[in-house]
Amino acid sequence: MSGYDTLLGEENEKHFLLGNEAIVRGAIESGVGVAATYPGTPSSEVGDVLSKIAKKAGIYFEYSTNEIVALEVAASAAASGIRAFTFMKHVGLNVAADAFMSVGYAGTKAGLVIMTGDDPSMFSSQNEQDNRHYAEMAFIPLIEPSNPQEAKDFLIYSFDLSEKTGSAVLFRTTTRVSHQRANVTFGKKMEIKNKSHFIRDQNKFVLVPANAYVAKDKLIKRFENLKEFSENSPLNVIYGNGNEWGIITAGAAYNSVMDAINISGLKFDILKLGFSNPMPERKIINFLKDHKSVIIFEELDPFIESKVRIIAQMNNINSKIYGKMDSYVPWSYEFNPDRVLAVFSKLFNINYSISTVNQDIKLPSRPPVLCPGCPHRATFYAVKLVSKQLRLKDPIFPNDIGCYTLGIQKPYEEADYLLCMGSSIGSGCGFSKTTDQKVISFIGDSTFFHAGIPGLINAVHNGHKFVLIILDNRTTAMTGHQPNPGLPINGMREPAPEISIEEIVKAIGVRYVKTVDPYDLKSTIIAIREAVNFDGMAVVISKRECALLRDAEMIRNKKWVRYHINQEKCTRCMNCVLNFSCPAFYVDKDGAVLIDPVLCDGCGVCSQPQVCGFHAIERDEP
Amino acid sequence: MKTVNVTIVGVGGQGVVSAGMIIGTATTKKNINTIMSEIHGMAQRGGIVSVDLRIGDAYGPIIPNGLVDLIIGFEAMETLRSLNRAGKDTIVILNKEKIIPFTVNIGDSPYPDIEKIVKEKDLKNIIEIGAVELAKETGNYQAVNMVMIGAALASGILPIEEKDIEDAVKSIFPEFSWESNINAFKLGIKEFKKIKGAYQ
């Protein structure tokens, strides 16, 4: 869309910003000098924007190979006296957890903020873990904004807090905060510094056991000190006064609670927590004492609730507390006003739900699909064909994190096991050892760099025998086309050395390595067949850029290629529709197969005899 | 002011999110508090895209069920799907375009008979528009979303004027596409008025 230069604007300007864009503005107003990430929904747009404007803002920004590297880049910059920011999706913090825990112990010099984008309801994730637990585990303060304006303002607060207390800060957004667009008013920009001089402090930064032993006690003291900050923080605020019932809430749940209150007409006092680890204990005690009954709404786990219950117990407070732990409030998924109203209905025995148009029509589902022209489709088709040709009995397809996870769908059904980034290779080792079934694993280029390489080293060293197909589409497609180490460009769009996947695979010692173009079905099928028959670890690199990138280039060059179906040659065998299944195909009322010219991106894979044996799919005359 | 709640639904690639941004930018410039929910990530790949836009006083980006004032439906079947969020007075603008999901192609279930269902539901405020044909007239096939915004504006429910949308287009889209987008927008307004006039 438009350039993101508006984010460099002046104080008091007001813009309609995505939460993640507001966070970038917050970083600029905080004087962040170094930012690093690995893309992941719902945090990706922070990097997308920085990738375009970091240089202008004077920030060093990089896409790191993975989240732990990103955290290490940021933490060391902060140890050198530069304000540093790293951001990732919730499961990314699992990858970075090793460094995260140690950063808790070591602390920081300049401000260090780690953002986790949690994904309640799992719009784009494999789980809905609540990363607030990490803050507790690492004795790191936790900040939870509710909307884009708060996301910007609270980030600035987080950097100040980090610097004042010497602790890193965990900044937790959720999908509905990161992907909420709203009016944001700018504040003053701070001067940005991205170069400094590191002053050795081994006792602090080198966590050998002797130093860690001392650091632990310091950590507990630092956390005690943080309690005062939380107690007096303007982020923990009470709205309303004198109502019998109170609500304690935080993050996006606050929005749903407020909308539900307005609809129901009920009256509550609200304690909104923006700084929730450590908890503002005295504030909680007073709030509990002031209210006979308190409901707690938070996404996702009863993180605040469990602490409130402990505080009540330790202080002999008898207020009635309702929440997830006693099943009054649902534990899973994000809230919306309707889900909050349902809790009110249950507690007050009045139906607050609003009637809607009866929609009892059964409609076909519309799951996301591989795009027209997607090179992954060609690879999945080729693998399926080889499996049939070689009569493989129940082949196992470990899959990985990326667009190609969509290989789970009919008609491909080439996803049998998936845990996390890189799991296709580690699990390939386990499956090939414990079964006599053929194992064919899929991993993307960015995911291979992120978490695949140790797995492949393991496979070769331990003598595992399976096929690994690396789907190299020359980008990190699913999260919005960020560059990865396999490309000659870095996060700031500067030229960068391209790391060769083929050379890495060879260097690890894989003896069958072949790079193919999946648009050439014949060679792809031959290579996959050879790999399946190979006695040892075999790797096929299926290399072809993401169709969306090629489409964009065709639009730029105004050269659009399309295919159509010659109805005289078409036998209506339906192979293209049922087995290749490009979304550009459709069947009309009379049963004729047609190609939608708007969707067709001219990849031409379907025109090859491996898909249409009747040569009925023809290229349009230019 | 009373909050105006707008849901925009469609399929990935139809410009649903940009449509929300255009309206939201226009209302923001008029100093009206505006909140919008967006869906990013995997859903973009030919899946359902739905945006909630809350213009006026609201806290969260999700519209409570039954309180949707206006549904702007970019695809026929997805418009029907969104009706379970509508109340009896909700205005529904339905683009007649059908985008067939692969679940229909591979024979899981048939694409619904839109006309029949619309009739059965007896919705009093539904307007059907052929936005694709109108967008084609402007030479910009991608301007379907602007036709739909035009129709939405003509419904009179949005607290903004033609010029506000035109300004938003200019602040968001690249210059070469301003003319076709604004033309598409105007065609949407005209078409809505034409159809509405025929009803009365």
Side-chain angles (χ1 to χ4, degrees):
Chain A
M1 291 239 148
S2 70
Y4 290 107
D5 289 358
T6 44
L7 293 173
L8 299 166
E10 297 307 318
E11 199 178 352
N12 296 325
E13 282 182 24
K14 191 170 162 188
H15 296 281
F16 188 49
L17 297 185
L18 197 64
N20 283 343
E21 293 167 6
I23 285 167
V24 172
R25 174 66 192 190
I28 292 168
E29 289 183 17
S30 305
V32 165
V34 168
T37 190
Y38 181 83
T41 315
S43 74
S44 308
E45 296 77 16
V46 180
D48 293 345
V49 175
L50 277 172
S51 162
K52 297 203 172 81
I53 65 166
K55 217 187 283 179
K56 280 186 208 159
I59 299 172
Y60 169 75
F61 168 67
E62 73 169 44
Y63 283 116
S64 306
T65 323
N66 61 32
E67 292 86 353
I68 190 167
V69 176
L71 201 157
E72 289 157 353
V73 168
S76 54
S80 311
I82 300 294
R83 283 193 165 191
F85 183 41
T86 179
F87 43 96
M88 54 201 69
K89 73 178 287 163
H90 61 332
V91 288
L93 192 53
N94 297 340
V95 176
D98 206 352
F100 182 80
M101 292 303 295
S102 293
V103 158
Y105 275 63
T108 185
K109 218 171 125 191
L112 173 63
V113 178
I114 298 144
M115 165 180 153
T116 167
D118 288 10
D119 191 16
S121 291
M122 296 157 282
F123 291 92
S124 313
S125 306
Q126 67 266 40
N127 74 29
E128 77 170 355
Q129 68 187 50
D130 186 336
N131 273 7
R132 297 180 300 171
H133 297 297
Y134 272 115
E136 187 178 24
M137 192 156 54
F139 297 93
I140 280 179
L142 173 70
I143 303 295
E144 296 188 69
S146 301
N147 57 50
Q149 182 74 51
E150 284 189 1
K152 179 189 83 67
D153 296 342
F154 288 14
L155 188 65
I156 300 162
Y157 178 90
S158 301
F159 275 100
D160 289 341
L161 177 72
S162 173
E163 235 157 61
K164 276 184 201 149
T165 61
S167 172
V169 172
L170 185 64
F171 186 81
R172 187 229 196 189
T173 72
T174 53
T175 300
R176 296 293 183 179
V177 176
S178 275
H179 288 168
Q180 178 187 147
R181 196 176 283 276
N183 307 139
V184 176
T185 306
F186 288 180
K188 228 183 165 143
K189 286 188 276 189
M190 209 172 123
E191 198 196 332
I192 289 174
K193 191 173 83 160
N194 66 19
K195 268 272 182 260
S196 185
H197 186 81
F198 174 70
I199 298 159
R200 172 182 280 176
D201 187 351
Q202 293 176 322
N203 293 339
K204 181 175 172 65
F205 290 124
V206 185
L207 292 170
V208 291
N211 287 346
Y213 190 88
V214 179
K216 174 66 198 287
D217 218 32
K218 279 190 184 162
L219 174 64
I220 299 302
K221 288 204 178 85
R222 199 189 298 140
F223 196 69
E224 284 299 321
N225 178 38
L226 277 162
K227 284 183 181 167
E228 276 314 301
F229 280 88
S230 173
E231 204 67 72
N232 300 312
S233 174
L235 275 51
N236 294 330
V237 52
I238 294 172
Y239 300 111
N241 184 18
N243 287 302
E244 207 173 298
W245 282 70
I247 287 178
I248 302 176
T249 184
Y254 165 76
N255 304 328
S256 299
V257 164
M258 295 308 284
D259 280 331
I261 289 174
N262 284 345
I263 292 166
S264 68
L266 291 164
K267 296 264 185 267
F268 293 95
D269 293 341
I270 309 287
L271 170 55
K272 177 182 185 298
L273 298 177
F275 186 161
S276 49
N277 188 59
M279 291 277 274
E281 220 171 294
R282 291 197 299 276
K283 226 171 224 168
I284 304 270
I285 291 171
N286 290 336
F287 193 78
L288 288 175
K289 282 185 176 165
D290 287 347
H291 299 92
K292 268 203 262 179
S293 305
V294 171
I295 322 173
I296 301 170
F297 288 99
E298 59 188 315
E299 293 169 357
L300 289 150
D301 295 342
F303 178 83
I304 292 170
E305 181 185 339
S306 56
K307 290 184 179 58
V308 170
R309 287 186 189 279
I310 290 169
I311 291 169
Q313 194 270 342
M314 287 175 76
N315 294 280
N316 290 318
I317 301 170
N318 292 321
S319 309
K320 179 80 185 127
I321 298 167
Y322 299 94
K324 295 169 191 262
M325 295 169 86
D326 53 3
S327 303
Y328 278 94
V329 176
W331 197 310
S332 302
Y333 317 134
E334 67 170 3
F335 288 108
N336 53 37
D338 299 302
R339 296 189 84 205
V340 174
L341 285 170
V343 175
F344 291 168
S345 299
K346 192 156 70 178
L347 278 170
F348 302 110
N349 229 350
I350 299 170
N351 183 18
Y352 290 107
S353 68
I354 304 155
S355 66
T356 59
V357 170
N358 174 21
Q359 209 275 35
D360 46 4
I361 327 150
K362 267 226 168 268
L363 297 172
S365 66
R366 190 190 296 274
V369 286
L370 296 172
C371 304
C374 178
H376 303 329
R377 173 178 293 103
T379 311
F380 285 132
Y381 183 79
V383 169
K384 193 107 192 196
L385 222 58
V386 170
S387 308
K388 280 183 197 161
Q389 286 169 352
L390 299 179
R391 297 198 165 80
L392 300 183
K393 190 174 179 313
D394 301 331
I396 303 171
F397 300 110
N399 206 298
D400 225 299
I401 309 276
C403 291
Y404 46 89
T405 310
L406 295 174
I408 189 176
Q409 286 165 353
K410 283 183 192 172
Y412 323 110
E413 296 177 295
E414 288 168 53
D416 291 321
Y417 195 78
L418 169 66
L419 296 175
C420 59
M421 294 286 283
S423 70
S424 61
I425 308 183
S427 66
C429 296
F431 284 125
S432 63
K433 206 59 167 181
T434 48
T435 71
D436 289 325
Q437 290 153 273
K438 277 284 175 196
V439 176
I440 302 174
S441 293
F442 296 97
I443 193 168
D445 47 344
S446 193
T447 308
F448 179 73
F449 287 115
H450 175 289
I453 296 170
L456 189 58
I457 292 173
N458 182 73
V460 172
H461 179 70
N462 289 311
H464 296 291
K465 293 178 185 176
F466 63 98
V467 178
L468 172 66
I469 298 181
I470 301 175
L471 300 155
D472 181 5
N473 63 350
R474 317 295 301 135
T475 187
T476 315
M478 191 170 70
T479 46
H481 297 108
Q482 295 80 8
N484 67 48
L487 294 159
I489 188 174
N490 67 19
M492 306 243 277
R493 314 270 150 186
E494 295 159 333
E498 181 177 338
I499 315 284
S500 159
I501 293 176
E502 187 172 310
E503 281 174 36
I504 291 175
V505 173
K506 282 181 179 158
I508 289 172
V510 177
R511 284 181 299 114
Y512 183 93
V513 185
K514 187 112 242 193
T515 299
V516 293
D517 176 0
Y519 278 11
D520 176 355
L521 278 178
K522 192 174 163 193
S523 330
T524 305
I525 288 166
I526 291 170
I528 293 168
R529 204 159 47 211
E530 283 173 358
V532 171
N533 287 329
F534 187 76
D535 184 27
M537 196 57 212
V539 173
V540 175
I541 302 163
S542 183
K543 188 172 176 179
R544 167 59 76 159
E545 76 174 331
C546 171
L548 294 180
L549 295 179
R550 202 170 49 87
D551 294 351
E553 185 149 340
M554 287 196 293
I555 290 170
R556 266 199 303 277
N557 300 335
K558 297 198 166 120
K559 269 191 195 154
W560 198 270
V561 180
R562 288 192 180 90
Y563 283 74
H564 64 273
I565 295 181
N566 182 332
Q567 297 299 333
E568 284 172 15
K569 290 186 188 169
C570 177
T571 62
R572 301 186 179 181
C573 74
M574 295 291 159
N575 184 55
C576 58
V577 176
L578 296 179
N579 295 321
F580 188 65
S581 245
C582 173
F585 291 119
Y586 67 99
V587 184
D588 75 2
K589 276 186 209 126
D590 309 320
V593 182
L594 297 159
I595 292 176
D596 184 335
V598 178
L599 291 175
C600 176
D601 97 321
C603 74
V605 176
C606 62
S607 71
Q608 295 169 43
Q610 290 79 9
V611 177
C612 182
F614 305 97
H615 306 283
I617 304 179
E618 298 169 349
R619 193 180 156 123
D620 288 6
E621 291 302 322
Chain B
M1 66 172 281
K2 184 199 171 291
T3 309
V4 179
N5 293 313
V6 184
T7 290
I8 314 175
V9 291
V11 176
Q14 282 192 302
V16 170
V17 174
S18 337
M21 270 189 69
I22 294 279
I23 299 172
T25 303
T27 50
T28 299
K29 285 203 172 136
K30 285 220 121 180
N31 255 324
I32 307 170
N33 182 47
T34 308
I35 312 176
M36 174 174 154
S37 71
E38 294 184 13
I39 293 293
H40 293 243
M42 208 187 225
Q44 288 176 316
R45 310 278 176 256
I48 303 163
V49 178
S50 163
V51 156
D52 276 8
L53 198 59
R54 312 197 68 193
I55 304 162
D57 297 323
Y59 285 88
I62 309 166
I63 303 171
N65 280 340
L67 292 189
V68 181
D69 297 300
L70 171 67
I71 291 175
I72 312 178
F74 282 31
E75 199 275 344
M77 182 172 91
E78 295 316 322
T79 312
L80 295 187
R81 207 192 299 276
S82 73
L83 290 181
N84 62 350
R85 307 189 58 206
K88 57 182 185 351
D89 296 321
T90 306
I91 298 172
V92 181
I93 301 173
L94 179 150
N95 176 19
K96 286 189 256 188
E97 185 180 11
K98 295 172 186 172
I99 298 177
I100 313 287
F102 84 96
T103 48
V104 170
N105 275 341
I106 63 174
D108 273 3
S109 50
Y111 193 92
D113 184 339
I114 304 288
E115 301 288 324
K116 194 174 144 235
I117 294 169
V118 167
K119 243 178 226 155
E120 279 170 9
K121 288 282 144 197
D122 196 25
L123 294 157
K124 52 181 177 182
N125 289 323
I126 191 160
I127 299 272
E128 294 174 57
I129 284 192
V132 179
E133 277 64 42
L134 292 169
K136 271 185 192 160
E137 276 181 40
T138 70
N140 181 356
Y141 200 95
Q142 286 173 306
V144 168
N145 57 356
M146 290 308 303
V147 176
M148 296 302 287
I149 292 175
L153 187 86
S155 77
I157 202 169
L158 301 173
I160 42 172
E161 288 145 43
E162 268 187 66
K163 196 182 165 303
D164 301 321
I165 294 285
E166 288 174 23
D167 289 346
V169 166
K170 287 178 184 170
S171 75
I172 289 178
F173 289 149
E175 195 170 344
F176 73 86
S177 72
W178 290 355
E179 200 190 329
S180 60
N181 275 309
I182 291 171
N183 284 343
F185 168 61
K186 288 188 167 155
L187 284 176
I189 297 176
K190 230 169 93 186
E191 184 71 4
F192 183 93
K193 287 182 176 164
K194 199 172 94 190
I195 297 172
K196 198 73 188 167
Y199 279 164
Q200 282 161 356

